[in-house]
Amino acid sequence: MSYAALEQKLRLVPESDFDFVSQFLDLILSRNSKRTKTKKAEKSQKMYRQPGIAKGTFWMADDFDETPDCFKEYMP
């Protein structure tokens, strides 16, 4: 829809409804600005991987590669 067509429709709105139309336009504009801010915030808060960040958090038992006694009967 062109700006001129929108302007023609606005001229048909009674003055008693101007406040309602104005509030509606404010709502639309605020929704669009929130979407833009959200997308920008997502881009700026994107975390990048850092090598070694979990170093020291995990450990592996010394006997990790050994078969547990309860499974030895199933092994050939």
Side-chain angles (χ1 to χ4, degrees):
M1 175 178 281
S2 68
Y3 185 80
L6 186 60
E7 190 175 359
Q8 285 177 353
K9 284 186 177 186
L10 186 58
R11 290 175 198 255
L12 298 175
V13 175
E15 282 189 45
S16 59
D17 291 334
F18 278 5
D19 189 46
F20 176 75
V21 172
S22 176
Q23 289 176 0
F24 183 70
L25 290 173
D26 289 341
L27 173 69
I28 292 172
L29 294 172
S30 69
R31 273 193 351 198
N32 287 338
S33 67
K34 285 179 185 176
R35 287 181 191 159
T36 305
K37 289 178 185 177
T38 304
K39 287 179 183 178
K40 288 180 182 178
E42 286 175 1
K43 288 180 181 179
S44 66
Q45 292 178 356
K46 185 176 181 181
M47 296 190 63
Y48 294 98
R49 295 179 2 174
Q50 296 177 359
I53 196 167
K55 189 174 185 176
T57 305
F58 304 98
W59 62 275
M60 189 176 296
D62 295 332
D63 63 348
F64 177 78
D65 290 329
E66 294 179 20
T67 304
D69 293 335
C70 60
F71 288 108
K72 286 189 179 183
E73 63 185 75
Y74 301 107
M75 302 294 285

